[in-house]
Amino acid sequence: MRMKKYVANGAVAYNRIDKNELKKLVQQIETMELAKANSTAKQAFYINAYNVLVIKTVLDNNIPNSPLDVTGFFDGIQHRVAGNITTLDKLEKQTLFGLKKDARFHFVVVCAAKGCPRIENFAYRPEKLEAQLTRQTKQALNNTDFIRVNDKKKNVGLSKIF
């Protein structure tokens, strides 16, 4: 599935997604063999898997206004990832962060809510991952949806992501 066909300006065109393409991609995620993959390759795989499974879960639930409108969206619905059964919450917090404690991951796993970082129309790749993580983090930190400076009140408002 080519994300460029379905993602623009941080938004997913859910109604245009070819469900057969998505199904094939999900099958690859389910059966991926990671035994010989290095940590960076696993990180890129799990970031991509998370984002694709969020898209699948949104579609499976008739495109809700918010993922929070779906009971168990993050911590109840189970997915097979590289042969293991997991939830989105476990995939992020245990699997991905279990590989490396890198706060930048928060800016690349996208939860399909307005308060989340924007989804990009490319895959995270091991050979580019360091630069991609840095770029996405800088983009989020410069986004007024995440950090709001109020000079008059002399305060800073932060997104819940922090």
Side-chain angles (χ1 to χ4, degrees), residues 36-146:
K36 295 180 182 176
N38 65 29
S39 181
T40 304
K42 289 177 184 178
Q43 291 166 44
F45 170 77
Y46 289 127
I47 292 165
N48 293 323
Y50 183 97
N51 291 340
V52 167
L53 292 172
V54 165
I55 290 170
K56 177 192 181 302
T57 307
V58 166
L59 287 171
D60 287 350
N61 288 279
N62 300 312
I63 314 172
N65 289 329
S66 167
L68 298 177
D69 292 342
V70 178
T71 302
F73 190 97
F74 296 104
D75 60 0
I77 297 171
Q78 296 188 334
H79 306 275
R80 182 175 301 279
V81 178
N84 298 307
I85 300 296
T86 190
T87 63
L88 290 169
D89 196 49
K90 287 179 184 175
L91 181 58
E92 176 188 7
K93 294 176 180 148
Q94 293 176 14
T95 306
L96 181 59
F97 278 96
L99 289 170
K100 183 178 180 183
K101 304 281 187 246
D102 191 331
R104 297 175 301 170
F105 291 152
H106 290 292
F107 303 109
V108 296
V109 291
V110 181
C111 71
K114 291 179 181 167
C116 282
R118 53 184 274 148
I119 190 165
E120 294 298 332
N121 65 358
F122 56 79
Y124 290 90
R125 305 193 44 88
E127 67 276 9
K128 296 180 179 180
L129 188 60
E130 187 65 27
Q132 289 174 318
L133 289 169
T134 298
R135 179 180 168 266
Q136 293 308 106
T137 300
K138 286 180 181 178
Q139 185 174 329
L141 293 176
N142 287 308
N143 183 332
T144 57
D145 291 336
F146 294 103

